DNA sequence: TTGAAAGCGCTAACAC
DNA sequence: GTGTTAGCGCTTTCAA
């Protein structure tokens, strides 16, 4: 049994070189397979490295190489499953490409975006994958452009008239939203409202609202402004109550995200309304958890694994020196779950008696 | 307007020193506030740094300092919300403590644990937060111990008779499970089955099963072996069918995780059973999404934000040189959702007619 | 209070 | 094929 190495895991390339009676350069060559080395020497080096529990110090390598094979990922939150799934995909793809992932979350707060990115850049990540509040008018992205930092946006999508062109990976949010709303209209819904995350925090939400308006207008129906809700809120009852107390209560709610849709479904039920019988609910994202709900959530499915894989692919391309990058528009699909159905007959214009009281008394959920 | 720096963001401490007409050492002192520097010089340095868009290269610093202020986080998956929430908390706490997070996921595969950790260690993370398959008999943890790498386990809990003592942050899984099952018994349930993630992949699942057995035995009821399911499976129908076709169909199912419980609830409903009327379902984790289900999921709530905060706290302590670390046992609570209720009267011993056919025909969900 | 100089671990030129 | 050497950007003695 060999003696325990002095400071285990801390042997350097020089220690290995000495033990194998070769130069440090040769050790490096063996480790990285960066040049041909004779079989005998290779074996000696490998043996020495193994005996010493040699673990290459990537900090040293990175300093020397002026690149780190580290990627920064900046997302609003992981509480929202679509981002957790995306991160999962990014990490797997990064690992497959021999890169490591450094993570930062911003809590949908543009102020935190700057600090997060700055920290990542100090660590000299080779590139960034990020979802920002507003891709079209982001000082941060301007900065990244100026400094020529490779980055790819996920989920963010630039309007067609946007001045800047930036690398994005997303679905066609507007078209996808329109398609879902058209589906609702096809089922017979006429009064459809949209619930959205706050527009300031999400360019996606704005585009999806446009798609909603497109569909409504095309059908000659009155589109409404979105019912905006801050992203991190956990209770939709009061805004919902507002919407439902309108003279013409909507028979369907199109939500700008699955997270929102799930919350809305729960709160509608708390208010005493049956989904989909009393009111239909549709989401946007296609998170797996939607299939675990009862009824299952009808939603626009974004191909999150492909979004992640594509983003990483593009990013590695950019890092590799590729120049121009067209925005990648991936295909969405509709998942028609049990949360939508044709509208019931003429609905009563009043809420269940329970609803009002339920909200006012702040009944815990 | 100042001339654009040559290679923006790539000015070094030497450039700043030259511009401010001081030594690089002084620049370092100013940047890190590591020693007193006169006001005048400080101002000059700061000014030069700002003009040059100086961004300290942490790779250089880390090489020199032999510590990185990077923390490695190793989790089975982010698809399971409890881990996503935990990572979120870890990242926030790390950022608050001026540390960055490098992420790796293992997909519940012990084989991947090794590669993930090895990669992180090559990056010279200062410490690790991890959830492993089995904390008691993990070669990896042995290695970390041997190499004196600071680490803290989250969710993993060592049995009381475990040989090794390792730093863990968890709830008392056995007691918590017992309490939930006792609650079910208190409601009148007598035939309670447990559904669990595969034991090999989770020491937690084993402990929770023990707690289940404790409760059953204490009540003089027959405890059963757990219905084991691989963690990444997305369909529980066939195993469920097995359980439900027993002579004495269970009136309640205790699941070892919320993920599993949500899947089970959906699949029960697919099989034509009403939760909680026909069968009660309880989970373990307390993920927020449980409150979005209908009925809401009854579950053992683990204080995930505190688990994350505590883990980070302990880890930073270990990194700071602290020696012994007692396992931290955090308080769980029960969240009694709509997915459990007292058992209905004598249930029919047969499944709804739909059930059998539904499974055999592999009806898409 | 500030500067000079050495070196963290590694790799890429360049020699042999 | 293999060795020598210089230096990536930073901090930290040690001197002044």
């Amino acid at each position: 049994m060999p003696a325990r190495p002095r400071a285990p895991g801390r042997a350097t390339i020089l220690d290995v070189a000495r033990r194998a009676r070769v130069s440090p350069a040769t050790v490096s060559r063996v480790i990285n397979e960066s040049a041909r080395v004779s079989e005998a020497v290779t074996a000696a080096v490998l043996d020495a490295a193994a005996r010493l529990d040699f673990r290459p110090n990537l900090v040293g390598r990175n300093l020397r190489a002026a690149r780190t094979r580290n990627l920064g990922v900046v997302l609003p939150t992981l509480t929202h499953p679509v981002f957790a799934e995306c991160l999962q995909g990014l990490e797997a793809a990064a690992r497959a490409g021999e890169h490591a992932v450094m993570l930062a979350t911003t809590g949908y707060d543009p102020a935190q975006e700057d600090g997060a990115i700055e920290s990542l850049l100090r660590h000299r990540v080779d590139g960034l994958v990020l979802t920002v509040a507003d891709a079209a008018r982001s000082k941060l992205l301007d900065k990244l452009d100026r400094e020529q930092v490779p980055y790819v946006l996920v989920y963010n999508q630039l309007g067609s008239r946007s001045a800047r062109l930036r690398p994005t990976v997303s679905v066609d949010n507007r078209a996808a939203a329109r398609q879902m709303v058209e589906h609702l209209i096809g089922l017979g819904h006429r009064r459809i409202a949209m619930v959205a995350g706050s527009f300031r925090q999400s360019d996606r939400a704005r585009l999806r609202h446009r798609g909603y308006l497109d569909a409504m207008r095309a059908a000659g129906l009155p589109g409404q402004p979105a019912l905006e809700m801050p992203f991190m809120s956990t209770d939709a009852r009061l805004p919902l109550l507002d919407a439902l107390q309108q003279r013409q209560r909507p028979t369907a709610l199109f939500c700008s995200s699955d997270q929102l849709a799930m919350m809305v479904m729960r709160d509608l039920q708390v208010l005493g309304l049956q989904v989909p019988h009393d009111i239909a609910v549709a989401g946007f994202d296609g998170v797996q958890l939607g299939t675990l709900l009862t009824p299952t959530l009808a939603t626009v499915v974004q191909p999150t694994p492909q979004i992640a894989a594509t983003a990483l692919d593009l990013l590695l391309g950019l890092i590799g020196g590729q120049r121009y990058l067209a925005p990648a528009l991936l295909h969405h699909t509709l998942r028609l779950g049990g949360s939508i159905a044709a509208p019931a007959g003429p609905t009563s214009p009043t809420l269940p008696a329970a609803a009002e009281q339920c909200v006012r008394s702040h009944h815990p959920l």
Side-chain angles (χ1 to χ4, degrees), chain A residues 164-350:
Chain A
R164 298 218 50 95
L165 194 60
R166 304 187 195 280
T168 58
V169 181
S170 71
V171 297
D172 184 336
N173 284 283
R174 186 168 175 172
R178 174 177 181 154
Q179 194 182 335
M180 177 56 94
V181 176
E182 280 173 344
H183 179 78
L184 290 169
I185 294 171
L187 286 176
H189 290 279
R190 291 294 170 268
R191 296 190 304 281
I192 305 172
M194 176 156 179
V195 183
S198 127
F199 282 171
R200 189 156 26 180
Q201 291 169 300
S202 169
D203 46 12
R204 288 85 69 205
R206 285 199 298 273
L207 286 168
R208 291 168 196 170
H209 184 248
R210 291 251 196 86
Y212 155 80
L213 291 179
D214 290 345
M216 294 300 273
R217 184 166 341 110
L221 297 171
Q224 310 281 339
L227 209 62
E228 284 187 56
M229 308 204 12
F231 266 105
M232 299 308 262
S233 65
T234 65
D235 185 342
R237 284 175 295 170
L238 282 107
L240 279 179
L241 207 60
D242 276 353
L244 300 179
Q245 281 175 335
Q246 292 174 2
R247 193 90 57 84
Q248 297 285 61
R249 193 207 297 172
T251 61
L253 293 175
F254 173 53
C255 305
S256 73
S257 78
D258 280 357
Q259 177 84 348
L260 225 43
M262 293 191 283
M263 200 166 75
V264 161
M265 275 175 65
R266 178 198 60 186
D267 289 345
L268 287 172
Q269 267 147 342
V270 169
L271 294 174
L273 292 175
Q274 284 271 3
V275 175
H277 179 265
D278 297 327
I279 189 162
V281 175
F284 200 115
D285 282 341
V287 304
Q288 299 200 336
L289 285 151
T291 65
L292 297 182
L293 299 185
T294 314
T296 59
L297 179 60
T299 187
V300 175
V301 180
Q302 304 196 72
T304 293
Q306 284 95 301
I307 288 178
T310 306
L312 215 87
D313 215 52
L314 295 182
L315 183 59
L316 294 183
L318 283 175
I319 291 170
Q322 194 171 314
R323 283 314 194 74
Y324 174 72
L325 214 56
L329 230 44
L330 270 45
H331 287 294
H332 66 270
T333 54
L334 295 194
R335 181 194 292 152
L336 299 177
S339 66
I340 58 176
T347 55
S348 91
T350 60

